[in-house]
Amino acid sequence: MKTMLSIISNALCRMTGRNAGAQTVSEGARVVVSRSFADFTPQATFDIKKCDLHQLEEGPPLKAELTRDQGLQYYRTMQTVRRMELKADQLYKQKIIRGFCHLYDGQEACAAGIEASINPTDHLITAYRAHGYTYTRGVSIKEILAELTGRKGGVAKGKGGSMHMYAPHFYGGNGIVGAQVPLGAGIALACQYQGNNQLCVTLYGDGAANQGQLFESFNMAALWKLPCIFICENNKYGMGTSVERASASIDYYKRGDFIPGIRVDGMDVLCVREATKFAADHCRSGKGPIVMELQTYRYHGHSMSDPGVSYRTREEIQEVRTKSDPISMLKERMLSNNMASVEEFKEIDVDIRKQVEEAAQFATIGSRAAAGGSLQPHLLQQPAAGGPRDEPLVQTQVCQLDLNPNLQIHSDPDR
């Protein structure tokens, strides 16, 4: 028996890159090889894909440094978003989640990479595929899933649903195609006006890229040199229409014309991180706005009402999963450079599944949001007037809408 354990131990050590002298513990029929943090590579440098440039002489670097802690954090973030979205899919099919629901699985590198390269005090606004950004901006899984199920424990008290979630420095979740872009430019104007060295990341999809209000926003942002990163998440399809059928030019990073632009591999979290760092430095240096195009892919259909296979093949989806999945790509990089072990990733996966299951339970047993009444006021947190940043925050009520069931709204074109 001891000889057999020794053979298995040596085999496991070769697989994990550890010397045979590693401590081995037998637990019944299971053999566990313990490894200390000193066994892992603490930092590595990776080649990343070159970005396409517009109106720029130099772009983001072609190499990216990654520490072990950063890698594990990015993996946990992306895997959490993935599991959360798959749980939302399940709850929707069980008719526990109703109404609009746009899932983000496949695009996790975009949200994780952007958040890794901006400050918590920077601002972000996006369209209605917002669950991933809601999480990366600091909202818990429980609050997100509870919002999807219309419970009071949701981040918007169950009254916003899939498309309308908010957090400090996160402005949603917007249901009108492209409407968040001028709002993002306005947030960037506020940053410039206040002189706080903050910026606004303004996201939209390829389906919104032909909206007139985008170009009006580009024009004003360029004239006033606003600190705004306009990001087009190009997932190849606007609803069920491919970009080739919808746009005369699919070079979305060039759409700003007079605004510099970069096209980025949106399936690689390191590419996204380095490109967003570059864009943020551009904005903070007073050079004005920049346009980024993140080439990415969604695994689900446009929304839960779209099976997603009438305008593309299952083989196409599977090919992207096999060759370009953002989570698998990061995992393989870390494993091949001895930055983590297979067992460590499994432990993270188990922990995430547990958290998502607990959040799903919370989202299905809580009290439902009451019909009618007043919407919970949206609160903007800001420092006390004249006080230092570390003083208690004052909450300023922005708006409150009274939902009077007897209220009649008249449309008068002459008013």
Side-chain angles (χ1 to χ4, degrees):
M1 181 63 180
K2 290 183 179 179
T3 304
M4 181 60 69
L5 286 176
S6 178
I7 294 173
I8 295 174
S9 174
N10 289 333
L12 287 172
C13 289
R14 285 195 298 272
M15 290 170 60
T16 57
R18 176 129 169 89
N19 295 329
Q23 179 185 0
T24 305
V25 181
S26 173
E27 298 180 1
R30 186 163 62 96
V31 176
V32 179
V33 180
S34 64
R35 302 179 68 185
S36 68
F37 292 130
D39 296 324
F40 296 111
T41 304
Q43 182 172 314
T45 302
F46 298 95
D47 294 326
I48 56 177
K49 186 177 179 180
K50 183 179 180 180
C51 296
D52 296 318
L53 306 179
H54 170 67
Q55 301 279 22
L56 288 167
E57 294 183 1
E58 295 183 359
L62 301 180
K63 294 182 181 293
E65 290 186 354
L66 178 71
T67 67
R68 168 181 150 81
D69 289 342
Q70 287 173 338
L72 292 176
Q73 180 57 51
Y74 301 162
Y75 179 85
R76 179 177 286 275
T77 297
M78 292 193 292
Q79 189 71 289
T80 298
V81 173
R82 176 74 56 88
R83 298 310 309 179
M84 181 178 69
E85 295 295 67
L86 294 179
K87 177 56 67 173
D89 170 274
Q90 182 184 24
L91 294 174
Y92 195 95
K93 289 173 179 175
Q94 294 172 349
K95 297 186 178 180
I96 297 173
I97 295 175
R98 310 299 292 267
F100 295 106
C101 188
H102 305 82
L103 301 183
Y104 199 67
D105 51 318
Q107 300 183 209
E108 296 90 352
C110 299
I114 289 171
E115 190 62 38
S117 51
I118 61 175
N119 300 325
T121 53
D122 287 326
H123 308 270
L124 190 146
I125 187 169
T126 188
Y128 41 75
R129 199 177 304 280
H131 306 165
Y133 290 104
T134 306
Y135 177 73
T136 58
R137 289 268 84 185
V139 179
S140 69
I141 311 170
K142 285 185 177 181
E143 290 176 293
I144 294 172
L145 291 183
E147 187 61 36
L148 292 175
T149 59
R151 309 285 171 162
K152 289 182 179 179
V155 64
K157 311 303 180 186
K159 298 197 176 192
S162 174
M163 298 192 291
H164 303 291
M165 301 185 189
Y166 308 92
H169 306 288
F170 175 58
Y171 304 81
N174 293 267
I176 305 300
V177 176
Q180 73 279 5
V181 178
L183 297 180
I187 295 167
L189 175 61
C191 294
Q192 183 189 71
Y193 182 78
Q194 294 174 0
N196 53 25
N197 201 35
Q198 295 172 5
L199 56 82
C200 184
V201 175
T202 302
L203 294 123
Y204 58 97
D206 55 275
N210 297 317
Q211 288 274 324
Q213 55 193 326
L214 265 77
F215 299 99
E216 294 179 66
S217 302
F218 288 171
N219 185 57
M220 288 188 289
L223 284 171
W224 297 336
K225 294 188 179 300
L226 301 182
C228 190
I229 307 175
F230 294 104
I231 300 183
C232 175
E233 288 185 284
N234 176 10
N235 60 23
K236 307 297 190 292
Y237 298 94
M239 297 187 71
T241 305
S242 67
V243 293
E244 292 82 7
R245 294 179 57 218
S247 298
S249 169
I250 59 173
D251 292 332
Y252 296 108
Y253 71 108
K254 295 181 179 180
R255 291 290 193 89
D257 189 10
F258 35 78
I259 299 177
I262 50 179
R263 181 160 58 192
V264 184
D265 181 359
M267 301 299 277
D268 183 348
V269 66
L270 297 184
C271 279
V272 177
R273 186 192 70 179
E274 294 305 310
T276 310
K277 281 182 180 179
F278 175 87
D281 290 342
H282 176 94
C283 289
R284 294 191 210 277
S285 66
K287 296 178 181 178
I290 190 169
V291 176
M292 283 175 59
E293 176 189 345
L294 301 181
Q295 292 189 313
T296 184
Y297 198 85
R298 56 171 164 81
Y299 294 153
H300 268 83
H302 171 72
S303 67
M304 285 302 297
S305 61
D306 168 25
V309 291
S310 60
Y311 49 87
R312 58 183 183 175
T313 64
R314 296 182 188 275
E315 290 74 22
E316 176 185 312
I317 302 170
Q318 186 56 42
E319 183 179 9
V320 176
R321 284 183 180 273
T322 303
K323 297 181 179 180
S324 304
D325 183 77
I327 299 175
S328 297
M329 187 186 306
L330 176 63
K331 182 178 178 180
E332 289 304 315
R333 272 177 170 160
M334 295 188 69
L335 288 175
S336 62
N337 285 269
N338 192 37
M339 299 181 76
S341 66
V342 173
E343 291 77 14
E344 196 167 12
F345 284 120
K346 287 181 179 179
E347 289 177 3
I348 293 173
D349 293 345
V350 169
D351 182 53
I352 291 171
R353 286 175 182 266
K354 180 182 178 183
Q355 290 183 44
V356 172
E357 286 300 326
E358 290 175 352
Q361 288 293 321
F362 174 81
T364 54
I365 62 175
S367 301
R368 292 188 179 277
S374 296
L375 285 178
Q376 292 293 329
H378 296 156
L379 298 176
L380 174 66
Q381 293 187 329
Q382 60 185 26
R389 300 288 303 180
D390 56 355
E391 281 192 3
L393 295 177
V394 176
Q395 292 187 330
T396 303
Q397 182 172 314
V398 177
C399 65
Q400 183 171 5
L401 176 63
D402 183 45
L403 291 184
N404 185 339
N406 299 317
L407 180 66
Q408 294 183 352
I409 300 177
H410 302 281
S411 177
D412 186 352
D414 296 326
R415 294 183 62 183

